[in-house]
Amino acid sequence: MRIEPGIIQSKVFKMIIMERQENSYKIYLDVCCLNRPFDDWNQERVRWEGEAVLSIMEHIYDRKWQLISSEAIEVELERMRDLEKLENVLKLLEFATIKVNLNDDTIEDPSN
């Protein structure tokens, strides 16, 4: 399967593929995407989307792809009421290697 830069969107979530360099991708998953693996998988669509996010995260864990985080994600997570899901999403975001700031066009490495 070949993935090109662009936006992949369903009624529920948006994933932005920022840049493609050979077989390496920079991936931005919105909060709905990040939550999907921890949602109730009784609905087939939810299960497929959750499995897709987990598959993407495997590539990120293996350092084949890079996860992008943002201040927008942080703001949205502050409103989450499900603390267990919040904890799980924060664990996924620990693998982010790039952070996009709201107030400027800079992209920074969150490990610095």
Side-chain angles (χ1 to χ4, degrees):
M1 178 174 77
R2 185 179 172 119
I3 301 174
E4 293 298 326
I7 298 174
I8 298 172
Q9 187 168 348
S10 77
K11 293 178 182 177
V12 179
F13 68 84
K14 182 186 292 185
M15 175 178 74
I16 302 174
I17 301 168
M18 302 294 286
E19 183 178 329
R20 180 174 184 257
Q21 296 175 348
E22 295 181 24
N23 286 325
S24 177
Y25 299 95
K26 294 180 181 179
I27 307 286
Y28 180 89
L29 301 173
D30 70 7
V31 173
C32 289
C33 286
L34 294 167
N35 271 301
R36 189 52 91 200
F38 313 109
D39 288 340
D40 180 358
W41 283 23
N42 285 326
Q43 293 181 31
E44 189 173 45
R45 178 182 51 84
V46 174
R47 181 177 47 80
W48 286 346
E49 292 172 353
E51 289 173 351
V53 171
L54 291 176
S55 177
I56 290 165
M57 290 305 299
E58 281 183 40
H59 286 83
I60 291 166
Y61 297 147
D62 293 341
R63 301 191 190 282
K64 294 176 184 172
W65 297 355
Q66 290 180 285
L67 180 61
I68 299 172
S69 184
S70 71
E71 287 181 349
I73 287 175
E74 292 172 359
V75 169
E76 196 168 341
L77 291 178
E78 288 175 3
R79 292 184 257 148
M80 279 187 69
R81 299 292 174 240
D82 185 331
L83 298 181
E84 185 176 340
K85 266 191 185 180
L86 175 61
E87 184 178 321
N88 289 327
V89 168
L90 290 172
K91 287 178 184 174
L92 293 180
L93 287 172
E94 289 176 6
F95 290 90
T97 57
I98 299 169
K99 181 178 176 184
V100 177
N101 296 312
L102 288 175
N103 295 329
D104 58 30
D105 294 333
T106 62
I107 297 176
E108 62 184 50
D109 180 343
S111 63
N112 292 336

